[in-house]
Amino acid sequence: MKQTRRHRKQTYMMRRLIFGFALLAVIALIPALVGFKRETPVEPKAAAPIVTPVSQGPDFPVIPINEWKQGLIADVVYDDILVGAMTFVDLTDGVILMDKNGDDRVFPASTTKLMTALLAYEKASVSNELDAPLIKIKSSTLDIPWDSHIAHLAVGDQLSVRQALYATLLESGNDAANSLAEYVSGTTGEFVELMNARATVLGLTGTHFMNAHGYSDPDHYTTAHDMAKIAYVFGHYPELVEIAGTYEYEANFIDQDGNQKRRWWYHLGSAVNERSIHYSDLVRATKTGYTDESGYTMVFLMEEGGKQYALVTMQARSGQTFPTMRNVEQLIFGRDIP
């Protein structure tokens, strides 16, 4: 009886020991069973330095503009000048002869296209590409506000640079202006950067561009004085003056299927139309503009006695621009007002 109890006690103790060892083994296996593992800490890698490419500034033809002198005509009655802002400059001698709010910030509307045409012409003339059919209309070219003035170009149309200049300066097509921008810079966004770079080089402190065509934008602005400086540079190129002084132009080009297309483009500036009551034999080139925000805007390049002049009118209401032009002709050149 005693031996049986002792045997049972030994058996019980043995079972407890076995259970204890088994429990320890299970505890030791838990980290492996649930995926725990110890890792050697890894030092974080230093981020690679960000390299920002440095773009070189564009090279522009050197056309210096000396500081213009004030030579205002004393007997000008500016109450008779109806436009909101204007300037009249003797470009040959660098003298401002008439001025009304010439440094005020204004919206240029499509007179913007003078800068667009200038940059496109300079690229094409240097590269001997003026008459090369390098303008191809893409869907991005036609990404313009719905109420834009257009030259009725279509995707796939292929024009020469000269033809696109006529479409831009005569018909004032926003589509044509975009086509020149894409020809010069690849995208309109990059072209706008070029426009602003050129404005800086020319010292246009009151000008900033947001697009190639002049559609209203709060950050797209100029001054009458700055626009006269653009006209000064524009006037250095006889071919540009000829284009912007042409009343009608016939363009023949091909569409996306290779078929011939023909377009007639007419200048919106009636000062170069001999059949118009606004015609002036003093005006060699002109560019019009209008938006609701800008009012009527216009730039005239004029010549008299071997000298070149610029008349810029801004913030005009209907019927105010050409009376201002006639006042200039009378006061400066002694012309009778018709």
Side-chain angles (χ1 to χ4, degrees), residues 8 23 25 34 44 65-66 68 107 117 122 141 159-160 170 184 188-189 198 201 230 290 302 316 322-323 329:
R8 288 178 179 172
L23 182 61
V34 298
I65 302 178
N66 295 326
W68 290 341
F107 296 122
E122 288 176 339
T141 314
L159 302 82
S160 71
L170 273 60
V184 173
T188 55
R198 187 55 180 278
V201 168
I230 295 173
Y290 174 82
M302 309 171 80
F322 289 105
E329 291 179 331

Side-chain angles (χ1 to χ4, degrees), residues 1-9:
M1 190 72 174
K2 290 181 178 180
Q3 290 180 349
T4 301
R5 288 179 179 174
R6 186 182 298 124
H7 178 72
R8 288 178 179 172
K9 187 175 182 180

Side-chain angles (χ1 to χ4, degrees), residues 86-105:
M86 64 85 66
T87 193
F88 180 74
V89 184
D90 176 346
L91 298 178
T92 303
D93 295 335
V95 180
I96 300 172
L97 298 174
M98 296 175 64
D99 180 80
K100 177 183 178 181
N101 302 325
D103 286 321
D104 285 4
R105 182 179 292 185

Side-chain angles (χ1 to χ4, degrees), residues 28-42:
L29 288 173
I30 286 175
L33 293 173
V34 298
F36 290 169
K37 63 180 179 178
R38 299 183 65 182
E39 295 182 343
T40 303
V42 178

Side-chain angles (χ1 to χ4, degrees), residues 87-146:
T87 193
F88 180 74
V89 184
D90 176 346
L91 298 178
T92 303
D93 295 335
V95 180
I96 300 172
L97 298 174
M98 296 175 64
D99 180 80
K100 177 183 178 181
N101 302 325
D103 286 321
D104 285 4
R105 182 179 292 185
V106 295
F107 296 122
S110 284
T111 58
T112 297
K113 294 182 173 81
L114 291 175
M115 177 65 93
T116 300
L118 172 67
L119 292 170
Y121 176 82
E122 288 176 339
K123 171 181 168 60
S125 59
V126 168
S127 306
N128 196 28
E129 295 175 345
L130 197 59
D131 293 301
L134 298 176
I135 303 291
K136 189 166 184 180
I137 307 304
K138 301 176 288 188
S139 58
S140 58
T141 314
L142 306 181
D143 184 13
I144 52 180
W146 68 271

Side-chain angles (χ1 to χ4, degrees), residues 275-290:
R275 297 185 292 273
S276 170
I277 61 171
H278 300 309
Y279 173 74
S280 172
D281 63 346
L282 297 174
V283 176
R284 295 291 179 265
T286 185
K287 184 68 198 79
T288 61
Y290 174 82

Side-chain angles (χ1 to χ4, degrees), residues 40-328:
T40 303
V42 178
E43 292 292 330
K45 293 183 179 180
I50 299 174
V51 179
T52 303
V54 179
S55 59
Q56 299 299 317
D59 294 326
F60 299 115
V62 178
I63 304 177
I65 302 178
N66 295 326
E67 186 173 350
W68 290 341
K69 302 182 292 290
Q70 295 283 346
L72 301 179
I73 304 299
D75 56 354
V76 175
V77 180
Y78 284 99
D79 288 343
D80 295 338
I81 304 297
L82 301 178
V83 298
M86 64 85 66
T87 193
F88 180 74
V89 184
D90 176 346
L91 298 178
T92 303
D93 295 335
V95 180
I96 300 172
L97 298 174
M98 296 175 64
D99 180 80
K100 177 183 178 181
N101 302 325
D103 286 321
D104 285 4
R105 182 179 292 185
V106 295
F107 296 122
S110 284
T111 58
T112 297
K113 294 182 173 81
L114 291 175
M115 177 65 93
T116 300
L118 172 67
L119 292 170
Y121 176 82
E122 288 176 339
K123 171 181 168 60
S125 59
V126 168
S127 306
N128 196 28
E129 295 175 345
L130 197 59
D131 293 301
L134 298 176
I135 303 291
K136 189 166 184 180
I137 307 304
K138 301 176 288 188
S139 58
S140 58
T141 314
L142 306 181
D143 184 13
I144 52 180
W146 68 271
D147 55 345
S148 293
H149 208 280
I150 58 174
H152 299 282
L153 301 174
V155 171
D157 286 349
Q158 195 162 334
L159 302 82
S160 71
V161 179
R162 188 187 301 274
Q163 289 171 332
L165 285 168
Y166 273 103
T168 299
L169 294 171
L170 273 60
E171 283 286 341
S172 200
N174 288 7
D175 47 358
N178 273 359
S179 76
L180 290 176
E182 291 177 337
Y183 157 70
V184 173
S185 300
T187 67
T188 55
E190 291 180 358
F191 183 75
V192 169
E193 292 180 7
L194 194 70
M195 296 171 76
N196 287 316
R198 187 55 180 278
T200 299
V201 168
L202 294 177
L204 309 186
T205 57
T207 295
H208 185 264
F209 297 108
M210 291 295 291
N211 56 62
H213 41 68
Y215 198 90
S216 287
D217 184 288
D219 292 321
H220 189 101
Y221 52 81
T222 190
T223 69
H225 283 166
D226 280 2
M227 190 56 66
K229 291 179 180 179
I230 295 173
Y232 172 81
V233 178
F234 188 96
H236 272 65
Y237 298 106
E239 283 184 299
L240 275 181
V241 174
E242 179 184 356
I243 292 171
T246 299
Y247 173 63
E248 58 183 358
Y249 177 77
E250 179 185 0
N252 293 280
F253 51 94
I254 60 173
D255 64 13
Q256 63 181 347
D257 298 320
N259 299 318
Q260 287 290 323
K261 294 180 74 173
R262 182 170 74 168
R263 289 284 184 271
W264 284 95
W265 291 318
Y266 296 90
H267 208 313
L268 300 181
S270 53
V272 296
N273 178 6
E274 294 184 7
R275 297 185 292 273
S276 170
I277 61 171
H278 300 309
Y279 173 74
S280 172
D281 63 346
L282 297 174
V283 176
R284 295 291 179 265
T286 185
K287 184 68 198 79
T288 61
Y290 174 82
T291 67
D292 290 342
E293 293 80 7
S294 71
Y296 292 92
T297 65
M298 196 167 296
V299 177
F300 303 86
L301 270 173
M302 309 171 80
E303 290 183 7
E304 170 64 33
K307 297 174 68 173
Q308 192 176 62
Y309 301 85
L311 169 63
V312 178
T313 59
M314 297 279 173
Q315 294 181 319
R317 296 179 181 176
S318 179
Q320 293 181 340
T321 299
F322 289 105
T324 300
M325 182 190 76
R326 297 303 186 196
N327 282 341
V328 168

